[in-house]
């Protein structure tokens, strides 16, 4: 049985964004219980040269939303990157899930063969992928999980009682 680009991406991303949402909810409740200002978690970093929790969520949602938009041939909505609370981050995740739920399998047909070229950042560095499969498997998915894992690690390092079971759920 061959899996489509849709089948190996959209359900997996939705599932993991829901997990990320639950992790953030657990962190928010932990801050309340411990009487910690929630902005401590929102602005926390693993290391001084790493981006804070908010940016990890922003980049993770951008990577998926914009990448799937490219593969499906649809314009992905743009977000302002102005989230400052857990509620703001939850809304961003939900808007990303809503976008993903609108993508139909047919829209991603043959996207595995599509050449992808994009530029990122202020320097407008250009990245070229010989096909959509490589773009999805070697760029979008690893970046998404890097930022999801980093968000988890930031919260864990700040004393939120998280375990592997919070990250890997059925």
């Amino acid at each position: 049985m061959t899996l489509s680009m849709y089948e190996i991406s959209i359900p997996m991303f939705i599932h993991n964004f829901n997990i990320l949402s639950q992790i953030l909810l657990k962190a928010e409740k932990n801050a309340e219980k411990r009487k910690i200002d929630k902005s401590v978690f929102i602005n926390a970093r693993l290391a001084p040269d790493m981006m804070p929790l908010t940016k990890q969520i922003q980049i993770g949602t951008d990577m998926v939303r914009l990448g799937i938009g490219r593969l499906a041939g649809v314009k992905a909505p743009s977000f302002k990157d102005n989230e400052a609370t857990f509620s703001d981050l939850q809304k961003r995740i939900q808007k990303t899930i809503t976008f993903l739920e609108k993508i139909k399998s047919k829209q991603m047909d043959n996207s595995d063969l599509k050449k992808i070229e994009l530029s990122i950042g202020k320097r407008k560095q250009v990245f070229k992928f010989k096909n959509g499969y490589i773009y999805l498997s070697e760029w979008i998915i690893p970046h998404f999980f890097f930022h999801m894992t980093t968000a988890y690690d930031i919260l864990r390092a700040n004393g939120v009682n998280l375990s592997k079971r919070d990250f890997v759920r059925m």
Side-chain angles (χ1 to χ4, degrees), residues 32-142:
E32 291 168 358
K33 180 180 177 184
R34 293 170 50 203
K35 296 182 180 13
I36 296 172
D37 183 343
K38 294 175 189 175
S39 67
V40 170
F41 290 167
I42 296 291
N43 297 307
R45 302 166 185 261
L46 277 180
D49 64 342
M50 289 184 78
M51 293 182 221
L53 178 71
T54 51
K55 199 66 177 167
Q56 301 300 331
I57 305 299
Q58 291 166 350
I59 295 171
T61 55
D62 286 350
M63 186 62 60
V64 171
R65 190 182 70 259
L66 299 171
I68 293 298
R70 283 183 192 99
L71 290 170
V74 299
K75 183 167 174 45
S78 62
F79 298 161
K80 292 183 181 180
D81 290 348
N82 61 356
E83 292 80 15
T85 66
F86 279 109
S87 177
D88 293 341
L89 294 173
Q90 292 285 9
K91 288 175 188 166
R92 185 181 183 106
I93 291 169
Q94 190 53 56
K95 288 189 297 187
T96 302
I97 291 171
T98 298
F99 169 73
L100 294 174
E101 289 173 337
K102 291 178 183 173
I103 302 296
K104 304 298 177 220
S105 180
K106 189 134 187 90
Q107 291 173 285
M108 294 186 67
D109 284 355
N110 299 315
S111 64
D112 56 320
L113 306 174
K114 186 187 266 188
K115 288 183 181 179
I116 302 289
E117 191 172 307
L118 60 120
S119 60
I120 296 178
K122 294 174 185 166
R123 295 180 301 206
K124 297 294 182 190
Q125 183 177 0
V126 176
F127 295 90
K128 297 178 182 182
F129 302 89
K130 70 178 182 178
N131 63 54
Y133 177 76
I134 290 173
Y135 176 55
L136 176 64
S137 65
E138 296 180 13
W139 184 261
I140 300 171
I141 292 173

